Amino acid sequence: KASVASLGVSIGLQLFVVFSQNKKLGTARVLKEAFPVLIGFKPAVDAYNIAWGKKQEVGQSFDTLAEMTYIKGMEMFAEAIPGVIIQLMAIANDGGDISAWVSVVVSAITTGYGGAVISYDWDTDPEKREQIPD
């Protein structure tokens, strides 16, 4: 139940970002941008937009890098971290074999890597480097 709740919170927060980003562009655009969130494909769409250099459109609230950062952060704090906590609670209640502990370690490392990637994306973005060169 807790896993489903954390997934629901994550999707809800991501839909809020999509709505905030695209509300001035109309309902059709909000729905188009919300679809990848609902099928779990939003991170791939954001990565594609960054890779191809998509710029902020007139009417959008923030640029594509900020949108991707918000989505990654929300996934981390609403899905990944609760997932690790849920795994630890299951181990504490049932006792964990080696595979359960390996799963927790992999989840924790993956979550840490996600945070590092967010920082790296901001540090290496050419436009951000021009604004703050040091």
Side-chain angles (χ1 to χ4, degrees):
K1 293 179 184 180
S3 293
V4 173
S6 70
L7 179 63
V9 169
S10 177
I11 290 173
L13 290 171
Q14 289 179 47
L15 288 172
F16 175 74
V17 169
V18 166
F19 174 76
S20 299
Q21 170 75 322
N22 297 293
K23 63 186 174 192
K24 293 179 183 174
L25 300 176
T27 304
R29 179 62 180 268
V30 170
L31 292 174
K32 177 185 171 197
E33 295 292 332
F35 182 70
V37 172
L38 297 173
I39 63 171
F41 209 63
K42 180 67 172 155
V45 171
D46 288 342
Y48 177 84
N49 290 338
I50 294 293
W52 288 101
K54 182 178 176 187
K55 301 294 181 196
Q56 180 178 356
E57 296 178 29
V58 175
Q60 288 186 324
S61 301
F62 33 84
D63 66 9
T64 52
L65 181 60
E67 181 181 13
M68 185 176 75
T69 301
Y70 297 150
I71 295 294
K72 280 184 180 180
M74 287 176 187
E75 282 183 331
M76 189 181 319
F77 289 107
E79 273 183 77
I81 293 172
V84 171
I85 293 169
I86 291 166
Q87 287 176 316
L88 288 172
M89 288 173 43
I91 289 172
N93 290 335
D94 299 331
D97 59 354
I98 190 70
S99 63
W101 283 106
V102 168
S103 177
V104 168
V105 169
V106 168
S107 294
I109 289 171
T110 303
T111 302
Y113 178 76
V117 167
I118 290 171
S119 178
Y120 180 79
D121 288 344
W122 277 86
D123 288 345
T124 59
D125 181 59
E127 292 177 12
K128 303 282 187 257
R129 297 291 291 176
E130 287 179 9
Q131 293 172 357
I132 307 170
D134 293 329

